[in-house]
C-alpha cells in the first residue's frame, strides 16, 4: 500500500549524528528557532522550527502554510543546507535534483505533531526525507485519507525515513517523545530534519 515508504533505522552512526548535530547548531545560531502560528486559529505550534535552504516552510495567522525565502524575525535569507545533510538526500532520495528546504523541527518532551499531509509543495514526485536526532519519537503513518488505518514506527536518533511514491501524501504525525531515550542532546528533546523539493525543476 505505502510502496514508497522506506525506513532506514540507524542510517547514521554516532559519529555522523554528532557531526550533523554540529551542523544543526550552527544553522540555529544563524536562523533562530521560532514558534509558527496555525492558520485561522493563530494557535502556536507545539514544536519550534527553523529552516535551511532557498525556501523555508512557514505558517502564521493570515498567510497560511507556505514557503518563504527569508527568516520571519531576522529578515535574512535562510542559511544554505549543509553538505552533510545534502549527501543524505543524494544517497536515499532517488531524485535527480537537490532539496530546496530543510525544515528543522525541535521537540521538547511534551511536544507532539498532529496527523498531517506534506502538501504545500509543487513537486510530489520527489520524496520527503526525514532525519531524526536525539530522543526517540513514536511516529504514526496512515494512508492518503485522514481516516485510513495507521501504523506506528519508532524513530530513534540516526534513523532516516523516506516518504516517496504513494507514501508521499500519506497522513502522518508524532504521537509522543520518549524523554531520556538518547544522550545525543544534553538538553534532551528531539530534532527532526525534513528535506523537501518544493518547486518543479526546469
Ligand atoms: C517528525 N515528520 O518526524 C515529523 N513529514 O518530527 C514529518 O512531519 C515528516 O517524518 C514528511 C515526511 C517524513 C516526516
Ligand atoms: Fe510531515
Amino acid at each position: 500500500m505505502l510502496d514508497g515508504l522506506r525506513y532506514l533505522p540507524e542510517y547514521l552512526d554516532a559519529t555522523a549524528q554528532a557531526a550533523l548535530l554540529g551542523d544543526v547548531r550552527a544553522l540555529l545560531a544563524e536562523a533562530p528557532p521560532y514558534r509558527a502560528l496555525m492558520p485561522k486559529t493563530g494557535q502556536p505550534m507545539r514544536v519550534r522550527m527553523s529552516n535551511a535552504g532557498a525556501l523555508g516552510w512557514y505558517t502564521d495567522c493570515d498567510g497560511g502554510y507556505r514557503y518563504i525565502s527569508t527568516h520571519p524575525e531576522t529578515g535574512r535569507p535562510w542559511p544554505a543546507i549543509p553538505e552533510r545533510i545534502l549527501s543524505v538526500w543524494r544517497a536515499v532520495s532517488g531524485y535527480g535534483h537537490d532539496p530546496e528546504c530543510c525544515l528543522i523541527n525541535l521537540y521538547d518532551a511534551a511536544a507532539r505533531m498532529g496527523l498531517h499531509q506534506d502538501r504545500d509543495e509543487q513537486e510530489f514526485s520527489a520524496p520527503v526525507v526525514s532525519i531524526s536526532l536525539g530522543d526517540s519519537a513514536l511516529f504514526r503513518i496512515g494512508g492518503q485519507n485522514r481516516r485510513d488505518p495507521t501504523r506506528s514506527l519508532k524513530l530513534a536518533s540516526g534513523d532516516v525515513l523516506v516518504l516517496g511514491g504513494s507514501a508521499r501524501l500519506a497522513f502522518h504525525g508524532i504521537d509522543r517523545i520518549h524523554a531520556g531515550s538518547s544522550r545525543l542532546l544534553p538538553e534532551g528533546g528531539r530534532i527532526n530534519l525534513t528535506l523537501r523539493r518544493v518547486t518543479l525543476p526546469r
Side-chain angles (χ1 to χ4, degrees):
M1 272 179 22
L2 293 181
D3 58 71
L5 174 70
R6 278 168 70 211
Y7 173 44
L8 307 170
E10 297 178 58
Y11 185 84
L12 301 166
D13 65 18
T15 308
Q17 291 172 43
L20 227 58
L21 177 60
D23 290 341
V24 173
R25 298 252 196 248
L27 290 175
L28 295 175
E30 170 66 22
Y34 51 85
R35 242 180 248 282
L37 304 177
M38 303 292 286
K40 297 190 190 121
T41 63
Q43 272 272 99
M45 292 191 65
R46 194 58 184 74
V47 299
R48 292 180 307 135
M49 303 185 156
S50 190
N51 289 276
L55 294 169
W57 188 86
Y58 185 63
T59 166
D60 61 12
C61 259
D62 349 291
Y65 302 149
R66 62 196 188 276
Y67 283 92
I68 57 178
S69 55
T70 55
H71 189 285
E73 289 165 6
T74 68
R76 290 195 295 265
W78 304 105
I81 303 176
E83 206 56 34
R84 250 189 291 265
I85 297 178
L86 287 176
S87 64
V88 175
W89 170 276
R90 290 172 186 155
V92 306
S93 71
Y95 185 76
H97 304 270
D98 278 343
E100 296 165 298
C101 174
C102 174
L103 172 64
I104 306 166
N105 285 143
L106 304 174
Y107 293 77
D108 62 27
R112 281 155 184 45
M113 185 172 295
L115 218 57
H116 67 275
Q117 288 173 299
D118 285 26
R119 52 178 303 162
D120 303 315
E121 301 74 32
Q122 286 138 26
E123 174 59 299
F124 293 121
S125 58
V128 178
V129 172
S130 130
I131 303 171
S132 294
L133 295 172
D135 284 342
S136 302
L138 189 61
F139 177 86
R140 187 142 58 106
I141 183 160
Q144 299 193 359
N145 295 300
R146 186 175 282 280
R147 300 177 60 189
D148 288 344
T150 62
R151 65 182 147 129
S152 293
L153 288 173
K154 192 173 85 172
L155 295 182
S157 197
D159 292 357
V160 169
L161 188 67
V162 184
L163 297 196
S166 65
R168 175 64 182 76
L169 286 169
F171 277 88
H172 59 276
I174 296 289
D175 287 335
R176 64 165 294 196
I177 302 296
H178 298 283
S181 53
S182 161
R183 293 203 300 211
L184 183 67
L185 308 177
E187 71 275 28
R190 171 173 184 261
I191 300 175
N192 177 256
L193 308 175
T194 48
L195 298 166
R196 304 113 188 264
R197 177 75 199 190
V198 178
T199 66
L200 298 167
R202 41 160 294 153

